[in-house]
Amino acid sequence: MADVYESSHPLVKHKLTILRNKETTPKKFRELIREISILLAYEATQDLALEPTPVETPMGAASGALLREQIGLVPILRAGLGMVEGVWEMMPGSEVWHIGLFRDERTLQPVEYYNKLPVSPTVQLCIVLDPMLATGGSASATVDILKRWGATRIKFVGIIAAPEGIKMLHDAHPDVDIHIGVVDEKLNDIGYIVPGLGDAGDRQFGTG
Ligand code: PRP
Ligand code: URA
């Protein structure tokens, strides 16, 4: 059984407050998504396996360790795109696979429109990136896609969640760790997180 981790880091709380502010510009919003994603990925990768690796410094031998696992970053388009770059800089050996889903505004069901997975899995760990976990439909559908394709170890990293989304993802995929910046109060009647931050895709890309 996997776990749900809500960040308690002061830097995450500080940056989230500016991110939520309706006056925050798209440029600043993108910077904050990037920075918060790095902090959350740091928390989500505490259990990565290491390979003991000796290293020669200019002063002599030291014992070191390198990452043993291959990691795949899986941003859910569009809003997950802004989370990739910073996390990728921390793990430059990762592969990035894009999954395109949008929510049908009437049914709130995810609709798949893009999938760029290689023929068979090449990594040991997939990290799904999406800032918003609202009903949980998009995240669950993405994990379904990854599992059908053969992924065995999957984590979800998001910035704001509704309790409904956490429950849906956790019930559907109890083996997937959920790392989230903050769990908000609820969903409203059109499926938006309250208080949330509005539409994460529109606020990043200046649309809507
Ligand atoms: C947003 C968000 C998630 C989804 C969350 O994407 O980025 O992918 O909604 O909602 P859910 O948990 O109810 O599925 P959206 O469908 O608005 O597409 P966009 O990122 O292209 O704007
Ligand atoms: N998608 C968003 O971008 N925001 C929400 O509050 C819910 C889904």
Side-chain angles (χ1 to χ4, degrees):
M1 175 74 78
D3 277 311
V4 178
Y5 302 92
E6 182 179 14
S7 181
S8 57
H9 201 293
L11 285 178
V12 173
K13 290 183 192 300
H14 175 93
K15 289 176 189 295
L16 257 170
T17 303
I18 307 171
L19 187 77
R20 286 185 194 272
N21 189 330
K22 63 183 182 188
E23 305 299 340
T24 296
T25 62
K27 181 172 189 298
K28 183 70 185 167
F29 192 91
R30 289 194 296 275
E31 286 170 13
L32 289 161
I33 290 274
R34 179 180 181 282
E35 292 165 1
I36 294 168
S37 302
I38 293 172
L39 294 168
L40 296 177
Y42 174 81
E43 293 182 348
T45 50
Q46 304 244 21
D47 62 349
L48 290 189
L50 290 170
E51 187 69 44
T53 308
V55 58
E56 284 294 324
T57 82
M59 310 302 288
S63 54
L66 292 176
L67 291 180
R68 194 165 64 200
E69 298 170 307
Q70 271 296 115
I71 299 164
L73 303 177
V74 186
I76 304 179
L77 306 180
R78 285 178 303 167
L81 272 181
M83 297 182 70
V84 175
E85 201 187 300
V87 178
W88 205 4
E89 273 172 29
M90 298 300 113
M91 295 175 257
S94 307
E95 299 177 17
V96 178
W97 305 319
H98 301 88
I99 301 280
L101 295 177
F102 67 87
R103 285 199 314 180
D104 179 309
E105 283 183 13
R106 200 174 40 83
T107 64
L108 297 183
Q109 292 305 307
V111 180
E112 183 179 344
Y113 63 89
Y114 189 76
N115 177 335
K116 194 66 182 167
L117 294 172
V119 178
S120 55
T122 44
V123 299
Q124 284 82 49
L125 171 67
C126 294
I127 303 179
V128 177
L129 303 170
D130 191 329
M132 308 305 277
L133 183 62
T135 64
S138 303
S140 296
T142 300
V143 173
D144 284 336
I145 292 167
L146 292 174
K147 284 186 174 173
R148 274 202 302 276
W149 169 69
T152 50
R153 193 155 157 250
I154 302 170
K155 292 173 184 258
F156 177 87
V157 176
I159 295 179
I160 302 185
E164 295 90 331
I166 300 258
K167 180 171 178 358
M168 180 179 180
L169 180 57
H170 195 55
D171 287 353
H173 298 289
D175 54 325
V176 172
D177 278 339
I178 302 174
H179 291 265
I180 205 84
V182 64
V183 181
D184 269 6
E185 192 188 326
K186 61 176 182 184
L187 286 182
N188 68 10
D189 56 6
I190 54 166
Y192 274 74
I193 301 172
V194 180
L197 50 68
D199 189 304
D202 284 347
R203 292 198 63 184
Q204 277 181 73
F205 298 109
T207 52

